[in-house]
C-alpha cells in the first residue's frame, strides 16, 4: 500500500501552526508538528520572512506531497484577518517554491472533517486530532493541532495528490 506525506498549515502572523501527517491507505499517523512564533516587536517584513523560511524548511525536511491550509476567517476583526492573510501568503509562497499541491479549507470545513461539526471549539479539535492520529496527548499549542486538522481535512477531501504543473502565460489575460 502506497503512502504519502500531507502537510497542514494554520496561518497566523503571531502563530503559524504546521503539522505533518503520514497517510497509508486509510491509516493516518503524525510525523511531526510545531508552531512558528513571531512578535509584534519585529518588523512585519521580518515576521513574514520567518514564516516563509520556516515553512520552507519543514517542506524541505519532510517533502510533503500536498498541503492543506486554512482560509481566512474575517469575523469581526478585519485587521486580524489582514495580518493572517499576509502570513498565509508567506506560507503559500513557500508551498509554491516546493511545487506542492495545495488544498484550501474554511475553518468550519476543517472542524467538520475532524470533529463532525463546523462549530467545534479548540479543545474538541485538539482531542479529535489526538484520537485520529493515535497520539498519547493532545497536540500543543492549538495552532499546531489546527494545522494537523488541516492535513487530515486534505486527506478526506482531495484523494490522490497530483504533481503541480507550472502554468505558462503569454500576453495579457482577456
Amino acid at each position: 500500500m502506497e503512502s504519502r506525506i500531507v502537510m497542514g498549515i494554520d496561518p497566523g502572523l503571531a502563530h503559524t501552526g504546521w503539522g505533518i501527517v503520514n497517510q497509508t491507505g486509510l491509516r493516518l499517523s503524525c510525523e511531526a508538528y510545531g508552531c512558528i512564533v513571531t512578535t509584534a516587536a519585529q518588523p512585519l517584513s521580518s515576521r513574514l520572512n520567518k514564516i516563509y523560511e520556516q515553512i520552507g524548511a519543514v517542506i524541505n525536511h519532510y517533502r510533503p506531497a500536498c498541503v492543506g491550509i486554512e482560509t481566512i476567517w474575517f469575523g469581526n476583526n478585519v485587521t486580524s484577518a489582514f495580518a493572517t492573510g499576509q502570513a498565509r501568503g508567506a506560507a503559500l509562497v513557500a508551498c509554491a517554491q516546493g511545487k506542492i499541491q495545495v488544498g484550501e479549507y474554511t475553518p468550519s470545513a476543517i472542524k467538520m472533517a475532524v470533529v463532525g461539526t463546523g462549530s467545534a471549539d479548540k479543545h474538541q479539535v485538539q482531542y479529535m486530532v489526538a484520537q485520529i492520529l493515535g497520539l498519547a496527548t493532545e497536540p500543543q499549542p492549538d495552532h499546531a493541532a489546527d494545522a494537523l486538522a488541516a492535513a487530515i481535512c486534505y486527506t478526506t477531501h482531495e484523494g490522490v495528490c497530483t504533481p503541480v504543473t507550472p502554468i505558462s502565460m503569454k500576453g495579457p489575460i482577456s
Side-chain angles (χ1 to χ4, degrees), residues 9-17 35-38 47-48 51 69-70 80 83-88 91 143:
I9 301 172
D10 176 40
L13 189 55
H15 300 95
T16 293
C35 188
I36 302 161
V37 178
T38 68
R47 296 174 83 181
L48 296 173
I51 293 166
I69 189 169
E70 189 173 297
S80 175
T84 300
Q86 290 175 307
R88 190 171 178 278
H143 305 287

Side-chain angles (χ1 to χ4, degrees), residues 63-174:
R63 301 284 183 204
C66 37
V67 173
I69 189 169
E70 189 173 297
T71 60
I72 301 170
W73 179 73
F74 281 90
N76 295 330
N77 192 342
V78 175
T79 303
S80 175
F82 188 71
T84 300
Q86 290 175 307
R88 190 171 178 278
L92 286 170
V93 170
C95 293
Q97 290 289 313
K99 296 179 176 46
I100 303 169
Q101 180 176 325
V102 176
E104 302 179 51
Y105 308 102
T106 64
S108 61
I110 293 170
K111 292 174 184 179
M112 180 69 80
V114 297
V115 180
T117 176
S119 61
D121 65 30
K122 292 272 185 195
H123 178 71
Q124 289 172 306
V125 172
Q126 286 174 293
Y127 174 80
M128 286 307 299
V129 164
Q131 296 303 303
I132 292 167
L133 298 177
L135 300 172
T137 59
E138 294 175 4
Q140 298 288 338
D142 59 353
H143 305 287
D146 290 347
L148 289 168
I152 293 166
C153 183
Y154 190 103
T155 69
T156 64
H157 284 75
E158 294 297 322
V160 177
C161 296
T162 55
V164 174
T165 305
I167 297 171
S168 174
M169 287 198 298
K170 294 184 174 126
I173 299 173
S174 48

